[in-house]
Amino acid sequence: MNSKKLLLLTGLLFCSSVLFAQINTEKSLQLNPYIGMSTPQEDFKNFSKSGYVLGLSLDKYISSKFGLGIDFNYQSHGYKNSTDYSIISNPYSVSSNISGDWSSTNITLGPTYKFGTGKINTEIYAKGCISMVQSPSEEINLTGGT
């Protein structure tokens, strides 16, 4: 991810946190937008660049501590090909055509429980998820020989 995108994400996150820090937590409906960076782990980092996450969480509190919530988010990662084709010698050549990125759209739904009082609290939740994942496609062509 380049530095302009990182700076933009950081700025948006700061502005939204300042704006939503002013919301009264006693209301029974909470709307929380969020934005962040997503870093691939383990073997996935061999095929993916760092990306971003955009989301919106909506919680309806039935009591002061218990609520039901729904969350929508979108994640996107650039594709990275980690295969080294330089070991293929003449008269052969390899060309690669890549289209698309890794992305997922997620919808979660479930209960939320709030610990703490006042302006500082912690929420725990157990939400089930429907996830729609799109993967990039790559076409590899080997040419040459007799």
Side-chain angles (χ1 to χ4, degrees):
M1 179 182 290
N2 63 30
S3 61
K4 288 182 183 179
K5 286 183 182 177
L6 179 60
L7 184 61
L8 177 63
L9 288 174
T10 305
L12 287 172
L13 181 61
F14 177 74
C15 290
S16 66
S17 66
V18 169
L19 176 67
F20 286 96
Q22 306 302 318
I23 293 176
N24 184 357
T25 59
E26 298 301 317
K27 292 183 180 179
S28 63
L29 188 65
Q30 285 186 342
L31 179 66
N32 298 309
Y34 57 91
I35 188 169
M37 288 183 54
S38 179
T39 305
Q41 302 294 312
E42 301 294 327
D43 291 337
F44 187 54
K45 67 183 173 187
N46 295 328
F47 303 101
S48 177
K49 301 174 186 175
S50 291
Y52 63 91
V53 178
L54 300 172
L56 182 65
S57 175
L58 178 65
D59 293 310
K60 170 71 173 156
Y61 278 88
I62 299 167
S63 69
S64 63
K65 300 283 185 187
F66 181 77
L68 293 174
I70 189 165
D71 184 284
F72 302 96
N73 76 45
Y74 175 78
Q75 298 180 26
S76 180
H77 294 91
Y79 178 70
K80 175 173 66 172
N81 184 350
S82 61
T83 307
D84 182 14
Y85 298 115
S86 65
I87 61 171
I88 299 174
S89 60
N90 285 334
Y92 301 100
S93 67
V94 174
S95 64
S96 174
N97 183 18
I98 301 168
S99 63
D101 288 329
W102 298 100
S103 66
S104 68
T105 303
N106 307 292
I107 303 169
T108 62
L109 178 65
T112 301
Y113 189 80
K114 186 187 300 186
F115 292 101
T117 57
K119 295 192 181 259
I120 298 176
N121 59 54
T122 301
E123 294 179 358
I124 61 170
Y125 52 88
K127 295 180 179 179
C129 178
I130 295 173
S131 185
M132 294 154 279
V133 179
Q134 183 175 5
S135 62
S137 63
E138 181 176 17
E139 180 180 312
I140 300 169
N141 295 308
L142 175 65
T143 56
T146 55

PDB file of all heavy atoms in Angstrom, residues 110-146:
ATOM      1  N   GLY A 110     -25.525 -10.751  15.107  1.00  0.00           N
ATOM      2  CA  GLY A 110     -25.504 -11.474  16.365  1.00  0.00           C
ATOM      3  C   GLY A 110     -25.587 -10.576  17.583  1.00  0.00           C
ATOM      4  O   GLY A 110     -25.708  -9.354  17.473  1.00  0.00           O
ATOM      5  N   PRO A 111     -25.493 -11.189  18.787  1.00  0.00           N
ATOM      6  CA  PRO A 111     -25.622 -10.436  20.038  1.00  0.00           C
ATOM      7  C   PRO A 111     -24.347  -9.683  20.422  1.00  0.00           C
ATOM      8  O   PRO A 111     -23.242 -10.067  20.055  1.00  0.00           O
ATOM      9  CB  PRO A 111     -25.921 -11.525  21.062  1.00  0.00           C
ATOM     10  CG  PRO A 111     -25.280 -12.742  20.503  1.00  0.00           C
ATOM     11  CD  PRO A 111     -25.401 -12.628  19.007  1.00  0.00           C
ATOM     12  N   THR A 112     -24.540  -8.604  21.158  1.00  0.00           N
ATOM     13  CA  THR A 112     -23.454  -7.783  21.684  1.00  0.00           C
ATOM     14  C   THR A 112     -23.697  -7.555  23.169  1.00  0.00           C
ATOM     15  O   THR A 112     -24.832  -7.313  23.584  1.00  0.00           O
ATOM     16  CB  THR A 112     -23.410  -6.411  20.965  1.00  0.00           C
ATOM     17  OG1 THR A 112     -23.233  -6.620  19.575  1.00  0.00           O
ATOM     18  CG2 THR A 112     -22.294  -5.537  21.480  1.00  0.00           C
ATOM     19  N   TYR A 113     -22.646  -7.634  23.963  1.00  0.00           N
ATOM     20  CA  TYR A 113     -22.752  -7.385  25.403  1.00  0.00           C
ATOM     21  C   TYR A 113     -21.718  -6.337  25.788  1.00  0.00           C
ATOM     22  O   TYR A 113     -20.561  -6.427  25.396  1.00  0.00           O
ATOM     23  CB  TYR A 113     -22.527  -8.668  26.203  1.00  0.00           C
ATOM     24  CG  TYR A 113     -22.846  -8.493  27.660  1.00  0.00           C
ATOM     25  CD1 TYR A 113     -24.156  -8.534  28.110  1.00  0.00           C
ATOM     26  CD2 TYR A 113     -21.836  -8.264  28.578  1.00  0.00           C
ATOM     27  CE1 TYR A 113     -24.452  -8.360  29.457  1.00  0.00           C
ATOM     28  CE2 TYR A 113     -22.121  -8.090  29.923  1.00  0.00           C
ATOM     29  CZ  TYR A 113     -23.435  -8.133  30.355  1.00  0.00           C
ATOM     30  OH  TYR A 113     -23.722  -7.955  31.673  1.00  0.00           O
ATOM     31  N   LYS A 114     -22.141  -5.331  26.550  1.00  0.00           N
ATOM     32  CA  LYS A 114     -21.287  -4.210  26.918  1.00  0.00           C
ATOM     33  C   LYS A 114     -20.872  -4.298  28.382  1.00  0.00           C
ATOM     34  O   LYS A 114     -21.705  -4.462  29.269  1.00  0.00           O
ATOM     35  CB  LYS A 114     -22.025  -2.893  26.677  1.00  0.00           C
ATOM     36  CG  LYS A 114     -21.177  -1.655  26.881  1.00  0.00           C
ATOM     37  CD  LYS A 114     -21.976  -0.365  26.793  1.00  0.00           C
ATOM     38  CE  LYS A 114     -22.632  -0.203  25.456  1.00  0.00           C
ATOM     39  NZ  LYS A 114     -23.298   1.105  25.320  1.00  0.00           N
ATOM     40  N   PHE A 115     -19.549  -4.191  28.642  1.00  0.00           N
ATOM     41  CA  PHE A 115     -18.986  -4.116  29.997  1.00  0.00           C
ATOM     42  C   PHE A 115     -18.535  -2.690  30.242  1.00  0.00           C
ATOM     43  O   PHE A 115     -18.021  -2.040  29.340  1.00  0.00           O
ATOM     44  CB  PHE A 115     -17.749  -5.015  30.133  1.00  0.00           C
ATOM     45  CG  PHE A 115     -18.043  -6.468  30.070  1.00  0.00           C
ATOM     46  CD1 PHE A 115     -17.818  -7.190  28.917  1.00  0.00           C
ATOM     47  CD2 PHE A 115     -18.531  -7.136  31.180  1.00  0.00           C
ATOM     48  CE1 PHE A 115     -18.066  -8.539  28.853  1.00  0.00           C
ATOM     49  CE2 PHE A 115     -18.791  -8.492  31.127  1.00  0.00           C
ATOM     50  CZ  PHE A 115     -18.552  -9.195  29.955  1.00  0.00           C
ATOM     51  N   GLY A 116     -18.667  -2.226  31.457  1.00  0.00           N
ATOM     52  CA  GLY A 116     -18.188  -0.890  31.807  1.00  0.00           C
ATOM     53  C   GLY A 116     -19.317   0.106  31.863  1.00  0.00           C
ATOM     54  O   GLY A 116     -20.440  -0.154  31.443  1.00  0.00           O
ATOM     55  N   THR A 117     -18.978   1.260  32.414  1.00  0.00           N
ATOM     56  CA  THR A 117     -19.961   2.332  32.532  1.00  0.00           C
ATOM     57  C   THR A 117     -19.319   3.624  32.084  1.00  0.00           C
ATOM     58  O   THR A 117     -18.104   3.744  31.998  1.00  0.00           O
ATOM     59  CB  THR A 117     -20.433   2.489  33.992  1.00  0.00           C
ATOM     60  OG1 THR A 117     -19.289   2.740  34.808  1.00  0.00           O
ATOM     61  CG2 THR A 117     -21.144   1.245  34.469  1.00  0.00           C
ATOM     62  N   GLY A 118     -20.124   4.593  31.836  1.00  0.00           N
ATOM     63  CA  GLY A 118     -19.602   5.902  31.459  1.00  0.00           C
ATOM     64  C   GLY A 118     -19.053   5.917  30.039  1.00  0.00           C
ATOM     65  O   GLY A 118     -19.541   5.228  29.160  1.00  0.00           O
ATOM     66  N   LYS A 119     -18.005   6.705  29.851  1.00  0.00           N
ATOM     67  CA  LYS A 119     -17.461   6.898  28.520  1.00  0.00           C
ATOM     68  C   LYS A 119     -16.520   5.788  28.076  1.00  0.00           C
ATOM     69  O   LYS A 119     -16.211   5.664  26.910  1.00  0.00           O
ATOM     70  CB  LYS A 119     -16.757   8.234  28.433  1.00  0.00           C
ATOM     71  CG  LYS A 119     -17.717   9.392  28.596  1.00  0.00           C
ATOM     72  CD  LYS A 119     -17.049  10.680  28.217  1.00  0.00           C
ATOM     73  CE  LYS A 119     -18.000  11.818  28.415  1.00  0.00           C
ATOM     74  NZ  LYS A 119     -18.605  12.271  27.198  1.00  0.00           N
ATOM     75  N   ILE A 120     -16.035   4.971  29.008  1.00  0.00           N
ATOM     76  CA  ILE A 120     -15.126   3.880  28.653  1.00  0.00           C
ATOM     77  C   ILE A 120     -15.833   2.559  28.891  1.00  0.00           C
ATOM     78  O   ILE A 120     -16.304   2.282  29.992  1.00  0.00           O
ATOM     79  CB  ILE A 120     -13.825   3.947  29.482  1.00  0.00           C
ATOM     80  CG1 ILE A 120     -13.098   5.251  29.188  1.00  0.00           C
ATOM     81  CG2 ILE A 120     -12.942   2.752  29.176  1.00  0.00           C
ATOM     82  CD1 ILE A 120     -11.859   5.463  30.032  1.00  0.00           C
ATOM     83  N   ASN A 121     -15.939   1.761  27.834  1.00  0.00           N
ATOM     84  CA  ASN A 121     -16.556   0.448  27.961  1.00  0.00           C
ATOM     85  C   ASN A 121     -15.943  -0.512  26.954  1.00  0.00           C
ATOM     86  O   ASN A 121     -15.223  -0.104  26.055  1.00  0.00           O
ATOM     87  CB  ASN A 121     -18.081   0.532  27.802  1.00  0.00           C
ATOM     88  CG  ASN A 121     -18.487   1.109  26.475  1.00  0.00           C
ATOM     89  OD1 ASN A 121     -18.063   0.636  25.435  1.00  0.00           O
ATOM     90  ND2 ASN A 121     -19.313   2.141  26.498  1.00  0.00           N
ATOM     91  N   THR A 122     -16.257  -1.775  27.132  1.00  0.00           N
ATOM     92  CA  THR A 122     -15.792  -2.822  26.230  1.00  0.00           C
ATOM     93  C   THR A 122     -17.000  -3.610  25.769  1.00  0.00           C
ATOM     94  O   THR A 122     -17.894  -3.907  26.556  1.00  0.00           O
ATOM     95  CB  THR A 122     -14.809  -3.767  26.964  1.00  0.00           C
ATOM     96  OG1 THR A 122     -13.712  -3.009  27.434  1.00  0.00           O
ATOM     97  CG2 THR A 122     -14.323  -4.865  26.050  1.00  0.00           C
ATOM     98  N   GLU A 123     -17.030  -3.930  24.498  1.00  0.00           N
ATOM     99  CA  GLU A 123     -18.120  -4.727  23.956  1.00  0.00           C
ATOM    100  C   GLU A 123     -17.574  -6.069  23.480  1.00  0.00           C
ATOM    101  O   GLU A 123     -16.522  -6.124  22.847  1.00  0.00           O
ATOM    102  CB  GLU A 123     -18.782  -4.011  22.780  1.00  0.00           C
ATOM    103  CG  GLU A 123     -19.479  -2.734  23.170  1.00  0.00           C
ATOM    104  CD  GLU A 123     -20.112  -2.034  21.974  1.00  0.00           C
ATOM    105  OE1 GLU A 123     -19.974  -2.525  20.835  1.00  0.00           O
ATOM    106  OE2 GLU A 123     -20.735  -0.997  22.190  1.00  0.00           O
ATOM    107  N   ILE A 124     -18.277  -7.125  23.820  1.00  0.00           N
ATOM    108  CA  ILE A 124     -17.955  -8.431  23.259  1.00  0.00           C
ATOM    109  C   ILE A 124     -19.144  -8.857  22.411  1.00  0.00           C
ATOM    110  O   ILE A 124     -20.281  -8.466  22.673  1.00  0.00           O
ATOM    111  CB  ILE A 124     -17.631  -9.484  24.346  1.00  0.00           C
ATOM    112  CG1 ILE A 124     -18.803  -9.699  25.275  1.00  0.00           C
ATOM    113  CG2 ILE A 124     -16.386  -9.099  25.131  1.00  0.00           C
ATOM    114  CD1 ILE A 124     -18.633 -10.889  26.199  1.00  0.00           C
ATOM    115  N   TYR A 125     -18.870  -9.632  21.386  1.00  0.00           N
ATOM    116  CA  TYR A 125     -19.945 -10.053  20.506  1.00  0.00           C
ATOM    117  C   TYR A 125     -19.647 -11.421  19.927  1.00  0.00           C
ATOM    118  O   TYR A 125     -18.500 -11.858  19.865  1.00  0.00           O
ATOM    119  CB  TYR A 125     -20.179  -9.037  19.382  1.00  0.00           C
ATOM    120  CG  TYR A 125     -18.940  -8.673  18.615  1.00  0.00           C
ATOM    121  CD1 TYR A 125     -18.535  -9.416  17.509  1.00  0.00           C
ATOM    122  CD2 TYR A 125     -18.166  -7.578  18.993  1.00  0.00           C
ATOM    123  CE1 TYR A 125     -17.389  -9.088  16.814  1.00  0.00           C
ATOM    124  CE2 TYR A 125     -17.030  -7.240  18.292  1.00  0.00           C
ATOM    125  CZ  TYR A 125     -16.649  -7.997  17.203  1.00  0.00           C
ATOM    126  OH  TYR A 125     -15.524  -7.668  16.503  1.00  0.00           O
ATOM    127  N   ALA A 126     -20.684 -12.106  19.528  1.00  0.00           N
ATOM    128  CA  ALA A 126     -20.592 -13.394  18.850  1.00  0.00           C
ATOM    129  C   ALA A 126     -21.510 -13.302  17.637  1.00  0.00           C
ATOM    130  O   ALA A 126     -22.722 -13.492  17.758  1.00  0.00           O
ATOM    131  CB  ALA A 126     -21.007 -14.525  19.775  1.00  0.00           C
ATOM    132  N   LYS A 127     -20.942 -12.967  16.514  1.00  0.00           N
ATOM    133  CA  LYS A 127     -21.743 -12.733  15.317  1.00  0.00           C
ATOM    134  C   LYS A 127     -21.411 -13.769  14.246  1.00  0.00           C
ATOM    135  O   LYS A 127     -20.255 -14.044  13.980  1.00  0.00           O
ATOM    136  CB  LYS A 127     -21.481 -11.324  14.778  1.00  0.00           C
ATOM    137  CG  LYS A 127     -21.930 -10.227  15.725  1.00  0.00           C
ATOM    138  CD  LYS A 127     -21.667  -8.852  15.172  1.00  0.00           C
ATOM    139  CE  LYS A 127     -22.143  -7.787  16.143  1.00  0.00           C
ATOM    140  NZ  LYS A 127     -21.882  -6.440  15.671  1.00  0.00           N
ATOM    141  N   GLY A 128     -22.464 -14.325  13.672  1.00  0.00           N
ATOM    142  CA  GLY A 128     -22.306 -15.223  12.532  1.00  0.00           C
ATOM    143  C   GLY A 128     -22.117 -14.400  11.272  1.00  0.00           C
ATOM    144  O   GLY A 128     -22.587 -13.268  11.172  1.00  0.00           O
ATOM    145  N   CYS A 129     -21.430 -14.967  10.279  1.00  0.00           N
ATOM    146  CA  CYS A 129     -21.043 -14.177   9.112  1.00  0.00           C
ATOM    147  C   CYS A 129     -21.389 -14.875   7.805  1.00  0.00           C
ATOM    148  O   CYS A 129     -21.273 -16.091   7.680  1.00  0.00           O
ATOM    149  CB  CYS A 129     -19.540 -13.926   9.171  1.00  0.00           C
ATOM    150  SG  CYS A 129     -18.888 -12.996   7.773  1.00  0.00           S
ATOM    151  N   ILE A 130     -21.787 -14.082   6.849  1.00  0.00           N
ATOM    152  CA  ILE A 130     -21.878 -14.498   5.449  1.00  0.00           C
ATOM    153  C   ILE A 130     -20.777 -13.719   4.744  1.00  0.00           C
ATOM    154  O   ILE A 130     -20.696 -12.493   4.857  1.00  0.00           O
ATOM    155  CB  ILE A 130     -23.244 -14.153   4.832  1.00  0.00           C
ATOM    156  CG1 ILE A 130     -24.346 -14.939   5.512  1.00  0.00           C
ATOM    157  CG2 ILE A 130     -23.230 -14.414   3.339  1.00  0.00           C
ATOM    158  CD1 ILE A 130     -25.732 -14.544   5.076  1.00  0.00           C
ATOM    159  N   SER A 131     -19.917 -14.431   4.033  1.00  0.00           N
ATOM    160  CA  SER A 131     -18.777 -13.789   3.388  1.00  0.00           C
ATOM    161  C   SER A 131     -18.778 -14.127   1.901  1.00  0.00           C
ATOM    162  O   SER A 131     -18.900 -15.295   1.526  1.00  0.00           O
ATOM    163  CB  SER A 131     -17.481 -14.271   4.037  1.00  0.00           C
ATOM    164  OG  SER A 131     -16.376 -13.600   3.515  1.00  0.00           O
ATOM    165  N   MET A 132     -18.660 -13.110   1.074  1.00  0.00           N
ATOM    166  CA  MET A 132     -18.577 -13.284  -0.374  1.00  0.00           C
ATOM    167  C   MET A 132     -17.173 -12.881  -0.804  1.00  0.00           C
ATOM    168  O   MET A 132     -16.800 -11.717  -0.678  1.00  0.00           O
ATOM    169  CB  MET A 132     -19.636 -12.439  -1.064  1.00  0.00           C
ATOM    170  CG  MET A 132     -21.045 -12.924  -0.728  1.00  0.00           C
ATOM    171  SD  MET A 132     -22.303 -11.666  -0.836  1.00  0.00           S
ATOM    172  CE  MET A 132     -22.101 -10.825   0.712  1.00  0.00           C
ATOM    173  N   VAL A 133     -16.394 -13.856  -1.265  1.00  0.00           N
ATOM    174  CA  VAL A 133     -14.980 -13.646  -1.563  1.00  0.00           C
ATOM    175  C   VAL A 133     -14.765 -13.682  -3.070  1.00  0.00           C
ATOM    176  O   VAL A 133     -15.296 -14.537  -3.770  1.00  0.00           O
ATOM    177  CB  VAL A 133     -14.113 -14.730  -0.892  1.00  0.00           C
ATOM    178  CG1 VAL A 133     -12.650 -14.541  -1.219  1.00  0.00           C
ATOM    179  CG2 VAL A 133     -14.332 -14.727   0.613  1.00  0.00           C
ATOM    180  N   GLN A 134     -13.962 -12.727  -3.544  1.00  0.00           N
ATOM    181  CA  GLN A 134     -13.581 -12.699  -4.958  1.00  0.00           C
ATOM    182  C   GLN A 134     -12.066 -12.803  -5.030  1.00  0.00           C
ATOM    183  O   GLN A 134     -11.352 -12.086  -4.326  1.00  0.00           O
ATOM    184  CB  GLN A 134     -14.052 -11.409  -5.614  1.00  0.00           C
ATOM    185  CG  GLN A 134     -13.747 -11.357  -7.084  1.00  0.00           C
ATOM    186  CD  GLN A 134     -14.323 -10.124  -7.752  1.00  0.00           C
ATOM    187  OE1 GLN A 134     -14.882  -9.254  -7.101  1.00  0.00           O
ATOM    188  NE2 GLN A 134     -14.179 -10.048  -9.045  1.00  0.00           N
ATOM    189  N   SER A 135     -11.589 -13.703  -5.861  1.00  0.00           N
ATOM    190  CA  SER A 135     -10.146 -13.872  -6.005  1.00  0.00           C
ATOM    191  C   SER A 135      -9.693 -13.404  -7.383  1.00  0.00           C
ATOM    192  O   SER A 135     -10.475 -13.400  -8.331  1.00  0.00           O
ATOM    193  CB  SER A 135      -9.760 -15.341  -5.786  1.00  0.00           C
ATOM    194  OG  SER A 135     -10.382 -16.153  -6.753  1.00  0.00           O
ATOM    195  N   PRO A 136      -8.427 -13.008  -7.485  1.00  0.00           N
ATOM    196  CA  PRO A 136      -7.914 -12.585  -8.780  1.00  0.00           C
ATOM    197  C   PRO A 136      -7.735 -13.791  -9.702  1.00  0.00           C
ATOM    198  O   PRO A 136      -7.713 -14.940  -9.260  1.00  0.00           O
ATOM    199  CB  PRO A 136      -6.565 -11.948  -8.440  1.00  0.00           C
ATOM    200  CG  PRO A 136      -6.168 -12.575  -7.164  1.00  0.00           C
ATOM    201  CD  PRO A 136      -7.430 -12.905  -6.443  1.00  0.00           C
ATOM    202  N   SER A 137      -7.593 -13.522 -10.983  1.00  0.00           N
ATOM    203  CA  SER A 137      -7.303 -14.604 -11.926  1.00  0.00           C
ATOM    204  C   SER A 137      -5.981 -14.300 -12.622  1.00  0.00           C
ATOM    205  O   SER A 137      -5.632 -13.141 -12.848  1.00  0.00           O
ATOM    206  CB  SER A 137      -8.427 -14.773 -12.946  1.00  0.00           C
ATOM    207  OG  SER A 137      -8.546 -13.613 -13.732  1.00  0.00           O
ATOM    208  N   GLU A 138      -5.253 -15.356 -12.918  1.00  0.00           N
ATOM    209  CA  GLU A 138      -3.967 -15.204 -13.584  1.00  0.00           C
ATOM    210  C   GLU A 138      -3.880 -16.222 -14.705  1.00  0.00           C
ATOM    211  O   GLU A 138      -4.158 -17.401 -14.507  1.00  0.00           O
ATOM    212  CB  GLU A 138      -2.818 -15.405 -12.605  1.00  0.00           C
ATOM    213  CG  GLU A 138      -1.455 -15.246 -13.241  1.00  0.00           C
ATOM    214  CD  GLU A 138      -0.316 -15.344 -12.254  1.00  0.00           C
ATOM    215  OE1 GLU A 138      -0.520 -15.836 -11.136  1.00  0.00           O
ATOM    216  OE2 GLU A 138       0.786 -14.926 -12.610  1.00  0.00           O
ATOM    217  N   GLU A 139      -3.498 -15.754 -15.866  1.00  0.00           N
ATOM    218  CA  GLU A 139      -3.281 -16.630 -17.002  1.00  0.00           C
ATOM    219  C   GLU A 139      -1.784 -16.650 -17.288  1.00  0.00           C
ATOM    220  O   GLU A 139      -1.162 -15.602 -17.464  1.00  0.00           O
ATOM    221  CB  GLU A 139      -4.044 -16.092 -18.223  1.00  0.00           C
ATOM    222  CG  GLU A 139      -3.883 -16.937 -19.453  1.00  0.00           C
ATOM    223  CD  GLU A 139      -4.653 -16.349 -20.629  1.00  0.00           C
ATOM    224  OE1 GLU A 139      -5.821 -16.006 -20.457  1.00  0.00           O
ATOM    225  OE2 GLU A 139      -4.037 -16.216 -21.696  1.00  0.00           O
ATOM    226  N   ILE A 140      -1.212 -17.853 -17.311  1.00  0.00           N
ATOM    227  CA  ILE A 140       0.217 -18.007 -17.534  1.00  0.00           C
ATOM    228  C   ILE A 140       0.417 -18.735 -18.861  1.00  0.00           C
ATOM    229  O   ILE A 140      -0.180 -19.790 -19.079  1.00  0.00           O
ATOM    230  CB  ILE A 140       0.877 -18.795 -16.394  1.00  0.00           C
ATOM    231  CG1 ILE A 140       0.667 -18.062 -15.071  1.00  0.00           C
ATOM    232  CG2 ILE A 140       2.359 -19.018 -16.670  1.00  0.00           C
ATOM    233  CD1 ILE A 140       1.048 -18.865 -13.863  1.00  0.00           C
ATOM    234  N   ASN A 141       1.249 -18.165 -19.733  1.00  0.00           N
ATOM    235  CA  ASN A 141       1.520 -18.762 -21.037  1.00  0.00           C
ATOM    236  C   ASN A 141       2.984 -19.110 -21.152  1.00  0.00           C
ATOM    237  O   ASN A 141       3.854 -18.261 -20.942  1.00  0.00           O
ATOM    238  CB  ASN A 141       1.132 -17.784 -22.169  1.00  0.00           C
ATOM    239  CG  ASN A 141      -0.336 -17.509 -22.195  1.00  0.00           C
ATOM    240  OD1 ASN A 141      -1.142 -18.432 -22.212  1.00  0.00           O
ATOM    241  ND2 ASN A 141      -0.703 -16.236 -22.179  1.00  0.00           N
ATOM    242  N   LEU A 142       3.267 -20.356 -21.492  1.00  0.00           N
ATOM    243  CA  LEU A 142       4.624 -20.825 -21.735  1.00  0.00           C
ATOM    244  C   LEU A 142       4.771 -20.987 -23.237  1.00  0.00           C
ATOM    245  O   LEU A 142       3.998 -21.719 -23.875  1.00  0.00           O
ATOM    246  CB  LEU A 142       4.859 -22.156 -21.017  1.00  0.00           C
ATOM    247  CG  LEU A 142       6.199 -22.847 -21.267  1.00  0.00           C
ATOM    248  CD1 LEU A 142       7.338 -21.997 -20.708  1.00  0.00           C
ATOM    249  CD2 LEU A 142       6.197 -24.232 -20.640  1.00  0.00           C
ATOM    250  N   THR A 143       5.724 -20.287 -23.815  1.00  0.00           N
ATOM    251  CA  THR A 143       5.922 -20.360 -25.261  1.00  0.00           C
ATOM    252  C   THR A 143       7.369 -20.714 -25.554  1.00  0.00           C
ATOM    253  O   THR A 143       8.254 -20.540 -24.734  1.00  0.00           O
ATOM    254  CB  THR A 143       5.591 -19.011 -25.934  1.00  0.00           C
ATOM    255  OG1 THR A 143       6.382 -17.993 -25.342  1.00  0.00           O
ATOM    256  CG2 THR A 143       4.127 -18.673 -25.798  1.00  0.00           C
ATOM    257  N   GLY A 144       7.601 -21.214 -26.766  1.00  0.00           N
ATOM    258  CA  GLY A 144       8.953 -21.537 -27.231  1.00  0.00           C
ATOM    259  C   GLY A 144       9.125 -23.008 -27.461  1.00  0.00           C
ATOM    260  O   GLY A 144       8.182 -23.794 -27.439  1.00  0.00           O
ATOM    261  N   GLY A 145      10.347 -23.406 -27.716  1.00  0.00           N
ATOM    262  CA  GLY A 145      10.652 -24.818 -27.968  1.00  0.00           C
ATOM    263  C   GLY A 145      10.416 -25.177 -29.417  1.00  0.00           C
ATOM    264  O   GLY A 145      10.219 -24.341 -30.275  1.00  0.00           O
ATOM    265  N   THR A 146      10.461 -26.456 -29.669  1.00  0.00           N
ATOM    266  CA  THR A 146      10.284 -26.914 -31.047  1.00  0.00           C
ATOM    267  C   THR A 146       8.973 -27.605 -31.251  1.00  0.00           C
ATOM    268  O   THR A 146       8.303 -28.037 -30.402  1.00  0.00           O
ATOM    269  CB  THR A 146      11.407 -27.916 -31.431  1.00  0.00           C
ATOM    270  OG1 THR A 146      11.398 -28.978 -30.472  1.00  0.00           O
ATOM    271  CG2 THR A 146      12.708 -27.213 -31.501  1.00  0.00           C
TER     272      THR A 146
END
